[in-house]
Structures are given as C-alpha cells and as structure tokens.
Amino acid sequence: MADMSKKTWCELEGMRDRGIIIPIGSVEQHGPHLPLETDSLLVERIAGEVAERIGCLVAPTLILGVSEEHMDFVGTITLSPETFKGVVYDVCNSLSRHGFSKLHIISYHGGNKQYLVELLPEIKDAGITATLHRVLGRLGKFDHAGEVETSLMLYLFPELVRKDRVERFHYRIPAGYGWRTKDYSESGVIGEAVEASPANGIKYFNQIVEAIVEEIEDE
Ligand SMILES: [Zn+2]
C-alpha cells in the first residue's frame, strides 16, 4: 500500500529513502458528461499504479489547481498561480524536511504546467530534488473531456460517466495561448468524446503509466 497518508508516522520512519509521488489534479468543468474532479481522480489512479510498479510512496493528491480558463463554467475552482505555487512548494518542503529526498510530481492538468515549470528552480534552490512528469501531453492529442479523458474515465470510473450525455460536441481547436475554453466550445468539451471506449482507456492508462515509470527509473 503506497498511500502515505494512510500510514502512521511510525510506519513512515523507515521509509524515508523511498521516492514519493505528488499527484496534482484540478477541480474544473469536464463537459456535460464527466465530473469536475476528473483530473484529480485520474491522476490519483495513475500515481497509485506507478507507485506499485516502482515501490515508492504517494502523497495526498492536490485536487485544486489553476483553472482560470474554465471559470465560465459553474463549479470550477481555481487557485491563483501564487497560491498554487505556494501550496506545491510547501508540500515539497514538508516532505524534504522529513528527509524524503526523491520527489516526483505528476501533473495532470495542462493549466498547472507552466507554474510548476516556474516553481522547479525555486524548489531546487532550496536544496530539494523534485522532478516533473506530465500525463496527457505525452499522448500527442489535445483533449479536454474528449476521447482520451472519456475513455480513461470509462475504464477507471465508469459509474461516474453520464453516458446519456455523450454526443458529438461541437468545438474548434484553440490556437495560441491564453485561451478561454468557452471561446472554443460551448459544452466545455474539446475532442471526440463520442469515440471513447473502455478499451482505449486501458491503452492510454498503460501508455501513461509505463512512460512515467520509465522516466522515474531513468533518473
Ligand atoms: Zn481533464
């Protein structure tokens, strides 16, 4: 069992030489068919599987991220970039103060990435070793609640997918940076959710897990 926060401090005493994964998700709209916590649920499962395979621990999932681009949709919660970076820094610093020296951040939500990239040098300057691993970006598809995420949810959390709300959502691919989701998709979906399947979900899950395992083992 890799979940660090389910252990007692006594049990953790002898585990400081293990790596720790810090999963980071979001609470943001995922169209009419997926729950707000999609990114957080998925990154937790991915982190858990990576941890099982390489024998490391998993810190509690940080379920809030920077999701300003989704704020036109009710329920989305966004941290300011400063707050987000502060929280991630404090988590890394706490673990480091306990003697954990190998931290692996798995960042699911694309909107968090730039702030983590900004933060890494600060973490390093504080003498903390942390590496950053991305999730969906490595599949080479731009997807928000589309075929990729819907497939992953159909595989891992089928009971949370509103299958009767899946349709061929209209969207246009955003160009450039600084976009608001609403400008490109009225439903909040970017991608072909209607083509999703549990079988593709298994495929994407394994691809992501194997790639992250390989990155961590190569460090
Ligand atoms: Zn997502």
Side-chain angles (χ1 to χ4, degrees), residues 178-199:
W179 50 277
R180 297 190 74 78
T181 311
K182 192 104 184 178
D183 295 337
Y184 301 95
S185 171
E186 279 302 313
S187 65
V189 177
I190 300 170
E192 307 299 336
V194 78
E195 287 165 19
S197 69

Side-chain angles (χ1 to χ4, degrees), residues 21-24 42-43 46-47 50 104-114 116-117 120 131-142 152 204-216 219:
I21 295 175
I22 303 166
I24 305 183
L42 292 178
V43 76
I46 290 163
V50 170
H104 312 289
I105 297 170
I106 300 185
S107 172
Y108 187 101
H109 166 52
N112 291 338
K113 189 187 144 205
Q114 70 172 110
L116 292 167
V117 168
L120 277 181
T131 57
L132 181 59
H133 306 272
R134 66 205 168 119
V135 178
L136 291 193
R138 66 179 67 251
L139 296 176
K141 281 188 181 184
F142 187 83
L152 285 165
Y204 295 137
F205 183 76
N206 287 327
Q207 249 175 283
I208 293 162
V209 166
E210 279 157 24
I212 296 174
V213 164
E214 210 170 292
E215 274 175 14
I216 293 178
E219 276 162 14

Side-chain angles (χ1 to χ4, degrees), residues 26 28 30 38-39 108 136 144-145 149:
S26 74
E28 64 186 27
H30 273 76
T38 291
D39 291 355
Y108 187 101
L136 291 193
H144 185 78
E149 286 195 308

Side-chain angles (χ1 to χ4, degrees), residues 9-190:
W9 72 266
C10 301
E11 289 163 355
L12 280 173
E13 272 284 10
M15 298 182 154
R16 298 182 213 232
D17 58 333
R18 298 226 198 150
I20 299 195
I21 295 175
I22 303 166
I24 305 183
S26 74
V27 173
E28 64 186 27
Q29 73 81 19
H30 273 76
H33 64 298
L34 297 179
L36 298 167
E37 62 173 344
T38 291
D39 291 355
S40 299
L41 290 171
L42 292 178
V43 76
E44 192 161 289
R45 283 297 186 92
I46 290 163
E49 183 62 27
V50 170
E52 287 300 327
R53 295 200 196 182
I54 62 177
C56 68
L57 297 164
V58 184
T61 301
L62 301 186
I63 63 166
L64 297 178
V66 183
S67 300
E68 184 60 42
E69 71 274 24
H70 295 291
M71 281 300 285
D72 294 313
F73 300 87
V74 63
T76 298
I77 295 177
T78 187
L79 299 180
S80 68
E82 293 67 35
T83 305
F84 174 69
K85 289 199 279 185
V87 170
V88 176
Y89 182 91
D90 287 348
V91 171
C92 291
N93 191 38
S94 297
L95 294 171
S96 171
R97 285 173 59 189
H98 293 305
F100 293 102
S101 59
K102 286 173 280 179
L103 310 183
H104 312 289
I105 297 170
I106 300 185
S107 172
Y108 187 101
H109 166 52
N112 291 338
K113 189 187 144 205
Q114 70 172 110
Y115 305 112
L116 292 167
V117 168
E118 282 172 25
L119 182 65
L120 277 181
E122 264 179 65
I123 291 178
K124 200 174 165 203
D125 283 351
I128 302 165
T129 310
T131 57
L132 181 59
H133 306 272
R134 66 205 168 119
V135 178
L136 291 193
R138 66 179 67 251
L139 296 176
K141 281 188 181 184
F142 187 83
D143 185 281
H144 185 78
E147 191 267 322
V148 175
E149 286 195 308
T150 307
S151 293
L152 285 165
M153 289 298 283
L154 282 172
Y155 166 45
L156 294 166
F157 300 95
E159 70 285 3
L160 296 180
V161 180
R162 279 61 160 180
K163 298 177 191 76
D164 57 330
R165 300 298 306 272
V166 176
E167 56 183 89
R168 195 165 289 282
F169 299 105
H170 177 75
Y171 68 95
R172 29 190 207 111
I173 290 289
Y177 206 77
W179 50 277
R180 297 190 74 78
T181 311
K182 192 104 184 178
D183 295 337
Y184 301 95
S185 171
E186 279 302 313
S187 65
V189 177
I190 300 170

